[in-house]
Amino acid sequence: MSAFPAQPLYLVANGPLAGRVSVPGDKSISHRAIMFASLAVGESRIEGLLEGEDVLATVAAMRAMGADVARGGDGVWRVHGVGVGGLLQPQTALDMGNSGTSTRLLMGLVASHAITATFVGDASLSKRPMARVTDPLARVGASFTTAPGGRLPLTMHGACPAIPLEYVLPVASAQVKSAVLLAGLNTPGITRVIEPIPTRDHSERMLRGFGADLTVEESARGRVISIRGEAELKPQHIIVPGDPSSAAFWMVAASIVPGSDIVIANVLMNPTRTGLLTALRMMGASIDEIDRRDVGGEDVADLHVRHASLSGIEIPADLAPSMIDEYPVLFVAAAFASGRTVARGAHELRVKESDRIAAMAAALGACGVACTEHEDGLAIEGTDGDPIPGGATIATHLDHRIAMSMAVVGLHARAPVVIDDAAPIATSYPGFVAQAVLLGAEAR
Ligand code: S3P
């Protein structure tokens, strides 16, 4: 339970959304930039880091394990790392807040160090499954004591030397993939992860950028990622592109509010992250890429989004890994489409910051949108562009993406859609409300 009172919020559009916003740095890349720079010897510089609570939890943890991580007055973060294998025993529990990515990736790092670390988190994180990470990490030699169900709080004893693992991912998860690869960084020999269904590839790209000996091959079993351990990482200058998962809220907001015409600048276009763009275009959204360019080894573009009539579709299940965090806001788009939108094959939504299938079914239902809950997704009947009834207070369950998605749905509602607590938005998008106002919405 937070010590602070809940912060209710709702947004109102008093007309079309217009203007230009730059979304903050990508969360996945920001976590990894801090972690990998903390393992490099020498000074790394990171520009455009997401300064949300989740990434700041990673910063605090890397400091607690010996890295020198500081923000300059120019907004550039400078990191002096400890070298692979050089993490120090943290003196107190590592507080992961709401952040699953911090927890699971750091568990991978600790697994191959001779240190003991305790991980704690908020009520949402303490409900999330960790066995998907502790199972493979036990096989490299780490040991654990956990709360019932293998959950946080969790104390981990790393192993040094650890045992190199070949691991076939049983669930499409970039966090599990990354945890095993990061354990492999300080493990003698080759650690291998086989990924039957591709997930976001930031760990692979960035580890190679930092000088790790990492290869990726396509095979009949899927993507085979091999990393040679006892690596030496070299400091880097990283420019973090804008987060497509944050851009998602404005992509949908401008699509549903009549007359809207906006530009979202500097959005990461890595194909493992653009599933929502594909799905919205299939529904008839008007989203043009302007000035596609390379920024620090990643494709980036500005997105020109105009209001459009959306049509209900079946969302292809194979898009799920590339839009896994975007389903809540996709459900919002579906609420304004003509006819029915069906999204299945997204079972992982049940174990995110909240059960996002149940949370969105309840939230949209309370606003007068007809939806049917399935074990692995939702079916939603859209209004064909009309405003939804609204007039409800939404339980956001400490889930930033439920809060932002339901704030967006309120932009085209007959009565306010009140978010019970906007505080979790700061985990990934501290400037969300200010940017809504910049685009012409009113925040109350
Ligand atoms: C992330 C992977 C995804 C995603 C999360 C960030 C990452 O989680 O939902 O927000 O940075 O690796 P899973 O690995 O559980 O799919």
Side-chain angles (χ1 to χ4, degrees):
M1 272 277 269
S2 162
F4 301 101
Q7 300 168 22
L9 165 82
Y10 65 95
L11 297 181
V12 181
N14 291 320
L17 301 179
R20 184 180 173 93
V21 280
S22 288
V23 288
D26 185 70
K27 183 154 75 71
S28 293
I29 293 179
S30 294
H31 282 297
R32 288 159 173 83
I34 293 289
M35 289 181 200
F36 302 166
S38 294
L39 296 172
V41 177
E43 180 178 281
S44 292
R45 285 185 300 135
I46 308 168
E47 281 180 55
L49 188 82
L50 169 64
E51 296 175 354
E53 288 168 2
D54 278 14
V55 175
L56 297 180
T58 291
V59 167
M62 296 318 303
R63 284 180 179 146
M65 292 191 282
D68 176 2
V69 187
R71 182 188 197 276
D74 52 1
V76 177
W77 288 72
R78 291 178 172 75
V79 182
H80 293 261
V82 294
V84 169
L87 292 179
L88 303 179
Q89 168 83 44
Q91 295 307 306
T92 53
L94 302 174
D95 187 351
M96 303 284 90
N98 190 254
S99 178
T101 309
S102 309
T103 310
R104 295 184 177 133
L105 270 59
L106 289 173
M107 283 167 61
L109 280 182
V110 169
S112 55
H113 282 74
I115 60 179
T116 296
T118 297
F119 296 87
V120 299
D122 71 3
S124 150
L125 185 59
S126 303
K127 286 187 206 149
R128 299 182 65 186
M130 294 297 154
R132 54 181 59 198
V133 187
T134 54
D135 285 352
L137 297 182
R139 287 171 51 189
V140 313
S143 60
F144 307 88
T145 45
T146 71
R151 299 175 206 278
L152 261 51
L154 176 159
T155 297
M156 168 171 193
H157 307 280
C160 193
I163 303 158
L165 183 63
E166 175 166 317
Y167 193 63
V168 182
L169 284 185
V171 52
S173 165
Q175 293 177 353
V176 178
K177 166 176 68 176
S178 301
V180 175
L181 292 174
L182 295 190
L185 264 182
N186 193 41
T187 300
I190 307 279
T191 294
R192 194 163 279 136
V193 179
I194 296 137
E195 187 176 52
I197 301 167
T199 64
R200 66 189 69 193
D201 60 358
H202 308 304
S203 293
E204 296 93 301
R205 286 175 186 245
M206 293 177 71
L207 282 169
R208 248 200 314 241
F210 272 89
D213 180 358
L214 181 146
T215 58
V216 180
E217 289 161 82
E218 301 295 338
S219 81
R221 294 192 293 169
R223 290 176 79 230
V224 181
I225 307 145
S226 307
I227 186 166
R228 181 179 297 281
E230 300 177 302
E232 204 175 297
L233 300 189
K234 295 181 190 61
Q236 298 298 307
H237 178 196
I238 294 171
I239 302 170
V240 183
D243 195 329
S245 301
S246 297
F249 300 108
W250 310 130
M251 285 160 63
V252 170
S255 296
I256 63 172
V257 176
S260 296
D261 186 335
I262 69 167
V263 172
I264 315 167
N266 188 34
V267 183
L268 173 68
M269 298 300 288
N270 177 313
T272 64
R273 299 289 301 283
T274 50
L276 178 74
L277 185 59
T278 306
L280 287 176
R281 282 178 172 156
M282 288 173 70
M283 295 172 78
S286 166
I287 306 177
D288 295 323
E289 290 160 39
I290 311 167
D291 188 17
R292 202 165 165 130
R293 55 207 184 264
D294 180 288
V295 176
E298 289 278 12
D299 267 2
V300 161
D302 302 335
L303 299 179
H304 181 196
V305 190
R306 277 168 288 193
H307 171 256
S309 301
L310 302 178
S311 307
I313 61 163
E314 263 189 42
I315 305 295
D318 62 3
L319 284 181
S322 63
M323 57 178 288
I324 194 66
D325 291 336
E326 283 68 76
Y327 278 93
V329 81
L330 169 80
F331 297 151
V332 167
F336 299 99
S338 60
R340 169 184 291 210
T341 298
V342 183
R344 304 290 300 264
H347 201 273
E348 274 293 296
L349 298 180
R350 298 259 179 213
V351 291
K352 294 295 176 187
E353 285 83 330
S354 67
D355 175 343
R356 288 181 172 163
I357 297 174
M360 286 303 293
L364 289 173
C367 292
V369 178
C371 34
T372 311
E373 188 174 336
H374 297 282
E375 189 45 36
D376 61 348
L378 274 188
I380 295 167
E381 305 293 336
T383 61
D384 197 8
D386 286 341
I388 60 161
T393 295
I394 304 303
T396 50
H397 305 285
L398 290 177
D399 188 332
H400 53 136
R401 299 204 196 279
I402 301 294
M404 289 184 274
S405 298
M406 293 308 294
V408 166
V409 97
L411 291 170
H412 198 40
R414 294 192 200 284
V417 177
V418 181
I419 307 312
D420 65 348
D421 188 8
I425 291 173
T427 61
S428 69
Y429 199 165
F432 172 79
V433 173
Q435 293 201 318
V437 171
L438 196 71
L439 290 173
E442 199 182 316
R444 295 188 191 155

